[in-house]
Amino acid sequence: MSTKEKTETCNTKKFTELFSQLSYSSDDEQREKIEEMNEVMGKMNKEEFMSVFTKDLSNRMKEMTDEKILSMENAILLLKHVGYWKVLKCIYDFEVSDIFLSDRFQEMIIDEEEKKEGKNEKLLVDLCECYLSLSDMTFFKIHSICIPCLLKVAMRKEENEEAQKEVEMALLALSVIDAYFPIYQELYLNELKEIVKYHQEHHNLTRIAYQSAWKFLIKRIIFAKSLVDVVVNELHFARESRRELEELTRYIDRKKEKEEDKKGKEVKEVHIIGGWLYMLKSFFLFFRLRKEGLLMPLSSVVHMYRAARENYGEISEQCISVIKTAAGNRDMKIYGLLKIGAIDAFLEEIQQPTLNDEVIFDCLNFFLNVSNRLKEKTDNEMEEAKRKATKRKVLEKMEEEGYEDFIIGFHKKLFYFNNDLYYQLSLNVSDYFVNV
């Protein structure tokens, strides 16, 4: 058995042991054990996490609360930690949600909110965080309660560790709300702007909290185009995303520590990287580029790709997908992609010995976009001269790297790929060349 397997077995056994001890522990002892369980959850990988949180465990938790063996407050505390790690580990179709986050939790949130006297603000916050982070389906009435409640927590300015953690959990829960839920700007915009601007000046948020605030905003602009000016010009999305990605790239470059010393931290850092890449991809996909300045974060994505390629395959693939999406935006200039090294990155990627189908699709789609765009002539003499010069440089790079050989090799594979995934690609190899 490998060291990794032993560690994974140790994590699941430790969690199961602590959970079983809840049945004969006092209320205070339960809270201590739940905090220990939280630490163990942080060390679990996705497979371990899913293997522990089964329907059997969910049913047992429900029985324990019904029989007053586990107080509802402690059950909520445990579920709050579970939801936090569920989001960070990018886990979906979570069975715990079916048991606890049904009508029962919705009723508790509404009842607590509607209390005239004796409202338990802390309980309401915990309920909202559990509900948003664990539930696969949320409802507008709950949003109208949870969003103001959690933003009130997120606007706290204290910089001690406990306060920062509370703010982080509140913003992380908010960031989960699906982009397709319409939310009135009156519920969040002024507060989110204040949170982001204050952090830009005072650096009071954790990385996860700051990324979560941005993620909530970027999800909203997909159906609220009026927010684009706020995001780009007022809150400086290009500058902030570039700065965050550059710092995270330095983290990847320093990846030489022992696995056991950084495992929990790595889960968080990888989650934050994925969050910024998700936001950039969404922005390039849905919006016209307002400024050349948006090349700044894309340049950082190229640097991130090279840093992650050896040890973080999933991240490097995400970077490729982001750059491919940016190349498809009609306002993205090909000479800009050439300038920041995006074309070099794709030429490097297609030389990798093993590539999955989606990455091959992204590579071919990228070069098809580049090829088609460089064939588009213009009446503007300066732009036309720039197009021809860019075309010449791109072609020289492709010839130097043996681009044609790679495309022919991939062309043979296309017949075996899923046609639904590759419907956008031409099967004519010559379409993937920049013809002067």
Side-chain angles (χ1 to χ4, degrees):
M1 183 180 292
S2 68
T3 303
K4 182 179 179 182
E5 288 172 333
K6 289 179 182 177
T7 302
E8 292 172 353
T9 303
C10 179
N11 290 335
T12 54
K13 283 186 175 180
K14 181 65 174 175
F15 184 91
T16 303
E17 179 184 332
L18 287 167
F19 182 81
S20 65
Q21 291 173 4
L22 296 177
S23 297
Y24 50 85
S25 300
S26 67
D27 192 68
D28 288 341
E29 289 172 339
Q30 285 183 350
R31 295 182 72 84
E32 290 178 3
K33 294 186 187 304
I34 288 170
E35 292 301 334
E36 286 186 63
M37 294 162 73
N38 180 41
E39 292 181 12
V40 175
M41 283 188 278
K43 297 175 183 177
M44 290 179 179
N45 60 31
K46 186 181 294 189
E47 290 72 27
E48 288 178 290
F49 196 82
M50 292 294 287
S51 72
V52 167
F53 290 100
T54 62
K55 281 191 175 181
D56 288 340
L57 184 128
S58 299
N59 287 326
R60 179 57 186 148
M61 287 181 68
K62 187 174 185 303
E63 290 172 3
M64 289 168 68
T65 55
D66 289 343
E67 297 169 6
K68 311 298 184 187
I69 296 172
L70 178 66
S71 70
M72 180 56 71
E73 289 78 9
N74 284 347
I76 291 170
L77 176 62
L78 175 55
L79 288 170
K80 178 175 175 175
H81 293 320
V82 172
Y84 176 83
W85 289 112
K86 177 225 174 189
V87 175
L88 286 188
K89 296 175 192 295
C90 300
I91 294 171
Y92 307 99
D93 299 322
F94 198 46
E95 292 182 337
V96 173
S97 306
D98 299 333
I99 303 298
F100 276 91
L101 300 179
S102 56
D103 295 341
R104 184 179 186 184
F105 259 49
Q106 293 177 45
E107 289 172 4
M108 290 176 69
I109 290 172
I110 293 169
D111 289 346
E112 198 63 42
E113 169 65 17
E114 292 179 348
K115 283 183 180 179
K116 302 295 184 185
E117 297 180 358
K119 182 185 296 186
N120 187 333
E121 297 286 352
K122 179 65 168 61
L123 175 61
L124 183 59
V125 168
D126 289 343
L127 285 168
C128 290
E129 288 176 356
C130 286
Y131 187 80
L132 294 179
S133 62
L134 284 171
S135 184
D136 293 327
M137 179 60 69
T138 55
F139 299 93
F140 178 76
K141 185 170 184 179
I142 303 299
H143 290 164
S144 66
I145 297 172
C146 290
I147 291 173
C149 173
L150 296 183
L151 283 175
K152 185 177 178 180
V153 175
M155 291 184 71
R156 294 173 183 168
K157 303 297 192 297
E158 302 95 325
E159 295 187 20
N160 62 74
E161 186 175 345
E162 182 178 353
Q164 283 189 323
K165 188 66 176 182
E166 289 176 357
V167 170
E168 177 181 291
M169 296 188 81
L171 287 170
L172 185 71
L174 287 172
S175 74
V176 176
I177 299 176
D178 198 284
Y180 296 97
F181 282 106
I183 298 173
Y184 297 125
Q185 292 184 20
E186 293 81 3
L187 277 178
Y188 67 86
L189 186 55
N190 289 336
E191 290 82 357
L192 256 296
K193 284 165 61 176
E194 181 178 337
I195 289 167
V196 171
K197 287 180 177 180
Y198 189 86
H199 173 77
Q200 289 173 354
E201 184 176 351
H202 300 282
H203 306 288
N204 64 308
L205 300 176
T206 66
R207 281 198 185 284
I208 292 176
Y210 189 51
Q211 184 248 318
S212 296
W214 271 109
K215 197 170 183 180
F216 180 91
L217 276 174
I218 294 297
K219 283 184 175 181
R220 307 284 77 79
I221 64 176
I222 292 176
F223 293 103
K225 302 294 192 292
S226 60
L227 287 176
V228 176
D229 186 63
V230 172
V231 166
V232 175
N233 299 320
E234 189 174 347
L235 299 180
H236 311 292
F237 176 66
R239 181 194 70 194
E240 293 300 295
S241 58
R242 180 184 187 180
R243 182 178 60 79
E244 289 291 313
L245 284 175
E246 285 179 347
E247 291 186 14
L248 290 163
T249 299
R250 285 194 287 272
Y251 161 77
I252 289 179
D253 285 335
R254 293 193 302 266
K255 184 190 178 291
K256 294 188 181 174
E257 305 168 35
K258 293 181 180 179
E259 289 291 328
E260 57 267 24
D261 292 338
K262 64 181 176 53
K263 191 170 184 181
K265 179 183 178 183
E266 184 174 317
V267 168
K268 295 183 180 182
E269 300 290 352
V270 169
H271 168 82
I272 298 167
I273 291 169
W276 284 106
L277 294 176
Y278 159 85
M279 289 187 279
L280 284 167
K281 184 173 181 178
S282 297
F283 201 87
F284 290 129
L285 183 63
F286 289 105
F287 303 102
R288 304 294 295 266
L289 305 181
R290 302 300 180 90
K291 291 182 175 181
E292 283 285 325
L294 282 175
L295 271 175
M296 294 191 305
L298 194 62
S299 175
S300 297
V301 174
V302 173
H303 295 155
M304 172 75 72
Y305 158 75
R306 291 204 171 93
R309 192 168 57 197
E310 290 185 12
N311 297 310
Y312 290 91
E314 186 175 344
I315 291 175
S316 68
E317 290 176 9
Q318 286 179 283
C319 291
I320 285 293
S321 184
V322 172
I323 302 168
K324 181 265 296 185
T325 301
N329 191 301
R330 298 299 300 174
D331 283 344
M332 175 61 72
K333 304 299 183 184
I334 301 302
Y335 65 79
L337 295 174
L338 186 65
K339 178 181 177 182
I340 65 174
I343 292 174
D344 293 284
F346 274 81
L347 286 170
E348 292 168 18
E349 181 65 12
I350 61 175
Q351 296 182 59
Q352 299 302 306
T354 56
L355 294 175
N356 64 41
D357 293 357
E358 291 188 14
V359 174
I360 293 174
F361 166 77
D362 285 341
C363 287
L364 295 181
N365 190 275
F366 173 83
F367 284 117
L368 184 59
N369 265 321
V370 169
S371 175
N372 289 337
R373 297 278 297 285
L374 287 177
K375 293 174 185 176
E376 297 173 353
K377 297 181 180 180
T378 175
D379 294 332
N380 184 300
E381 291 185 9
M382 290 184 64
E383 286 298 316
E384 181 63 12
K386 185 179 288 187
R387 181 189 72 85
K388 288 181 178 180
T390 302
K391 193 171 185 178
R392 196 174 302 111
K393 289 179 180 177
V394 171
L395 184 59
E396 288 171 357
K397 281 184 177 293
M398 290 181 169
E399 289 177 341
E400 183 179 325
E401 296 294 337
Y403 172 76
E404 180 175 359
D405 294 336
F406 292 114
I407 297 303
I408 291 174
F410 289 150
H411 173 65
K412 293 176 181 177
K413 295 180 182 179
L414 286 176
F415 294 104
Y416 301 99
F417 292 158
N418 184 332
N419 290 330
D420 291 336
L421 179 62
Y422 292 91
Y423 70 95
Q424 299 179 50
L425 296 179
S426 168
L427 293 180
N428 184 351
V429 176
S430 64
D431 285 346
Y432 298 96
F433 292 93
V434 181
N435 301 310
V436 177

